Amino acid sequence: MHFQDHFAQITRDRLVNLLEKHIPDYDKSMCLYPKPLKSLTEQAIQRAEKIAKQIERNELSEHSNPYSSGLPKLISSLLSLKNN
């Protein structure tokens, strides 16, 4: 979600392949926050909100994509706490 729009279901292996295009030396044990993801977090929140709206329009279960159901609000809230 930080790097590109993606509305279709995706396998873990395919996700890693896509991620490696943005982070060539990606390893799942890497710490990716704050660098490089912090600067892309607002975009990721917006993408998740777009996915949530699409899920609602298509009348799918709100939990069909857990990253879009409540996560954008949670991340926004946590970031606002840090800024206070």
Side-chain angles (χ1 to χ4, degrees):
M1 287 199 179
H2 284 81
F3 296 107
Q4 66 188 53
D5 288 330
H6 196 86
F7 293 98
Q9 190 172 11
I10 187 170
T11 66
R12 182 175 298 172
D13 289 340
R14 178 71 179 129
L15 178 63
V16 170
N17 288 337
L18 290 171
L19 189 54
E20 286 173 340
K21 290 181 180 181
H22 300 282
I23 306 171
D25 59 341
Y26 173 75
D27 180 79
K28 69 179 183 177
S29 65
M30 294 173 71
C31 179
L32 300 174
Y33 199 90
K35 290 186 180 181
L37 297 183
K38 184 176 182 179
S39 65
L40 301 168
T41 299
E42 188 57 40
Q43 290 176 1
I45 291 168
Q46 292 170 3
R47 285 186 173 110
E49 289 170 343
K50 282 176 28 180
I51 292 170
K53 287 177 185 174
Q54 182 181 14
I55 288 169
E56 187 176 324
R57 278 192 309 270
N58 294 341
E59 298 179 357
L60 300 172
S61 164
E62 67 179 278
H63 302 293
S64 62
N65 185 326
Y67 299 107
S68 65
S69 58
L71 199 57
K73 290 179 186 175
L74 174 63
I75 299 298
S76 295
S77 296
L78 291 172
L79 291 173
S80 71
L81 289 173
K82 185 177 179 183
N83 293 330
N84 290 332

